[in-house]
Amino acid sequence: MQTLYKFALEPIAETTADPNSYGFRAKRCVQDAIEQCFTCLNKGKSPKWVLEGDIKGCFDNISHEWILNHIPMDKDILRKWLKSGYIETGKLFPTNLGSPQGSSISPTICNMVLDGLEVQIKKKYHKTKVNGKAYFPKVNFVRYADDFIVTGESKEILENGVLPIIREFLSKRGLELSEEKTVITHIEDGFDFLGSNIRWYKDKLLTKPSKKNYKAIVSKIREIIKKNPSMKQEDLIRKLNPVIRGWVNFQKYNVSSQAFERFDFDVWRCLWQWCKRRHPKKSHKWIAKKYFRQVGTRSWTFSVKTSDSFEFNLIYATNTKIVRWLKTKSEATPFDSRFAGYFEERDTERMFREIKGRRKLNALYKAQKGICPICGGAITVEEGYRIHEATGNDYKITRILVDAGCHRKLHYSKEVGEPALVIQGL
């Protein structure tokens, strides 16, 4: 039921949202928020000070009274959801504050609670004229869920002007800033935001994977390897590849070349220890020959031949190209028909970027005009895509490009496994 109400509430939330809010919104993501930070800070005349905002227990402390008075939906249903409480270790705990975490409608409600903060800041800090000259205090606002940053031309503007506005706005909603975690930073010192470190280096701004984010992914890889000392090599690769692929696809829009090289080395070091522990009496040369193969120009590829004679390889971060993210326009929303053409063009452009240099994919995508022949829907990066081989009545194999969901249905219906897809890099 919550999801049905969310579907009804979402168009209202989208059309009334802050332009530079990016969390839990249709057609927007983390990369949009990071790219907006880059846009605000990447020029020589850009602001040099950044306020990193942290709301103390955002989801847990939102005022129920404010939600009931301002969220446009059935009040009785909303009140029951807010007051329903939660069960832990067989006990019922009441909820007198906050929006229930984990429910499908909570992110939308949280966004609607925080929407309007950018407008309040812009009311005071916007382009104006002082003594006949144009003046802009360089105050920009970027928010992802309950994490946000505000830029300014000086520390004083952020400390004495912007912070009081934010505190007043939040207090009306039963929220407050965490004084320990809310800091004002100079751009040359850099700051971490959504897994990226944004910092000015001599003459340019760079966004790189943050140290905390890098340590977290390496720790996760190390934990998987250590917890599975006797696992088959093929199974270990299957366990590692989705984790590696997810992190690499997230960070490939940043300046990540050095981080990717270091990551591949750290993964190799963990795998080498795993191999040596399995064969303590074997020589290094024997271990290397058993577990690693030459694939292309890479001599040490962690690889194994599967039962159907395919070579199954570990994914390496340095094989992924670094690309620039194509940011969504701040004012665009998929619920406004004026932007329907814009989102279609953007999805197509992202698709062409994704398959650039891959001739088979390019040819199939153009021949099919970007349409999946199974479901008739558009093939997009978000939904994923696969090349599917079909055998006709004349026993000729034809290839078609289908979206990932249709491909899974086709293979499950025929009881065909997935290994070949991973090996082909699709």
Side-chain angles (χ1 to χ4, degrees):
M1 183 183 282
Q2 286 192 6
T3 304
L4 291 174
Y5 273 93
K6 180 209 167 191
F7 289 154
L9 194 60
E10 198 170 25
I12 302 170
E14 280 291 323
T15 51
T16 58
D18 285 337
N20 290 300
S21 162
Y22 297 96
F24 304 115
R25 293 185 60 188
K27 296 286 185 181
R28 298 192 178 207
C29 63
V30 170
Q31 281 77 20
D32 285 314
I34 295 169
E35 189 64 24
Q36 180 62 21
C37 292
F38 182 84
T39 302
C40 295
L41 297 164
N42 72 337
K43 300 177 183 65
K45 294 182 179 179
S46 295
K48 302 301 180 188
W49 291 93
V50 178
L51 166 66
E52 303 171 60
D54 185 274
I55 302 172
K56 189 185 290 184
C58 182
F59 279 89
D60 297 329
N61 295 310
I62 302 170
S63 166
H64 283 182
E65 184 182 351
W66 193 96
I67 293 174
L68 290 166
N69 290 337
H70 293 87
I71 303 299
M73 62 171 284
D74 187 293
K75 304 303 178 186
D76 289 334
I77 294 290
L78 182 56
R79 186 179 290 105
K80 287 175 182 177
W81 285 342
L82 294 174
K83 303 292 185 183
S84 61
Y86 64 94
I87 295 174
E88 188 175 342
T89 62
K91 293 182 180 180
L92 176 65
F93 294 86
T95 49
N96 299 315
L97 289 171
S99 177
Q101 292 193 46
S103 68
S104 57
I105 201 170
S106 278
T108 305
I109 291 175
C110 185
N111 266 339
M112 295 184 79
V113 169
L114 296 176
D115 281 333
L117 180 53
E118 182 176 3
V119 175
Q120 288 295 318
I121 293 170
K122 292 288 185 181
K123 274 183 183 178
K124 183 174 180 181
Y125 296 102
H126 54 82
K127 288 181 181 178
T128 184
K129 284 192 175 182
V130 177
N131 299 325
K133 293 183 179 180
Y135 170 71
F136 179 48
K138 301 176 184 176
V139 174
N140 301 288
F141 177 86
V142 182
R143 179 171 69 84
Y144 187 92
D146 58 342
D147 292 323
F148 65 88
I149 63 112
V150 187
T151 68
E153 66 173 353
S154 69
K155 187 176 182 179
E156 288 70 29
I157 283 180
L158 295 175
E159 202 165 43
N160 303 322
V162 173
L163 264 177
I165 295 172
I166 295 172
R167 287 194 178 105
E168 183 184 356
F169 178 89
L170 293 177
S171 65
K172 292 176 181 177
R173 291 152 175 78
L175 299 171
E176 61 179 341
L177 289 172
S178 169
E179 298 300 329
E180 301 81 26
K181 295 180 181 178
T182 300
V183 293
I184 298 173
T185 311
H186 196 277
I187 193 62
E188 288 184 2
D189 296 325
F191 64 97
D192 289 349
F193 188 56
L194 304 174
S196 298
N197 178 263
I198 303 170
R199 183 179 173 186
W200 188 270
Y201 292 85
K202 292 183 180 177
D203 59 345
K204 60 180 147 184
L205 185 81
L206 297 179
T207 62
K208 298 182 177 183
S210 69
K211 289 181 180 179
K212 185 178 179 181
N213 179 267
Y214 182 84
K215 286 179 181 177
I217 186 62
V218 172
S219 295
K220 188 172 183 179
I221 294 291
R222 190 177 287 121
E223 185 181 1
I224 291 171
I225 294 171
K226 281 188 175 180
K227 280 187 175 180
N228 297 283
S230 58
M231 182 178 276
K232 288 182 180 179
Q233 185 181 5
E234 180 183 343
D235 294 336
L236 183 62
I237 294 173
R238 289 190 188 284
K239 210 170 184 67
L240 291 174
N241 273 355
V243 179
I244 296 170
R245 186 187 292 112
W247 183 77
V248 169
N249 285 342
F250 179 81
Q251 293 291 357
K252 71 179 180 181
Y253 303 105
N254 291 322
V255 182
S256 302
S257 297
Q258 290 182 353
F260 283 179
E261 288 176 8
R262 177 69 187 176
F263 177 76
D264 282 349
F265 173 73
D266 284 338
V267 173
W268 173 85
R269 189 164 53 181
C270 292
L271 289 171
W272 182 247
Q273 293 299 322
W274 179 82
C275 295
K276 287 201 299 180
R277 280 195 297 269
R278 288 165 71 91
H279 307 283
K281 296 182 180 180
K282 296 292 185 180
S283 68
H284 287 183
K285 187 175 181 180
W286 185 94
I287 293 171
K289 188 175 180 181
K290 179 173 175 60
Y291 290 100
F292 297 88
R293 289 177 174 79
Q294 171 108 20
V295 177
T297 57
R298 188 184 297 278
S299 302
W300 287 75
T301 301
F302 194 64
S303 177
V304 64
K305 276 197 174 184
T306 61
S307 55
D308 45 5
S309 299
F310 281 107
E311 280 196 5
F312 192 34
N313 305 328
L314 186 76
I315 290 173
Y316 285 87
T318 46
N319 290 344
T320 301
K321 290 183 180 179
I322 306 297
V323 293
R324 193 88 232 169
W325 176 255
L326 188 66
K327 183 187 170 292
T328 305
K329 288 181 179 178
S330 297
E331 67 276 13
T333 169
F335 294 96
D336 189 335
S337 58
R338 293 176 300 165
F339 295 104
Y342 163 75
F343 280 110
E344 287 178 9
E345 289 176 11
R346 183 176 178 278
D347 287 344
T348 303
E349 173 65 20
R350 281 192 63 204
M351 193 67 194
F352 275 124
R353 281 189 179 195
E354 187 76 13
I355 63 178
K356 184 180 179 182
R358 301 167 76 176
R359 285 182 290 179
K360 288 179 183 177
L361 283 172
N362 254 304
L364 289 171
Y365 185 76
K366 289 176 181 177
Q368 295 172 200
K369 298 181 180 179
I371 301 298
C372 173
I374 306 299
C375 65
I379 299 171
T380 64
V381 176
E382 284 86 356
E383 294 296 327
Y385 52 89
R386 301 286 188 271
I387 291 178
H388 177 67
E389 291 186 348
T391 306
N393 295 329
D394 56 357
Y395 298 103
K396 284 186 178 179
I397 295 174
T398 56
R399 289 184 172 185
I400 55 174
L401 191 64
V402 299
D403 68 47
C406 291
H407 191 266
R408 281 193 295 272
K409 290 177 184 176
L410 286 168
H411 276 259
Y412 288 156
S413 64
K414 294 181 180 180
E415 297 183 355
V416 177
E418 293 280 320
L421 305 173
V422 183
I423 293 150
Q424 293 165 10
L426 300 174

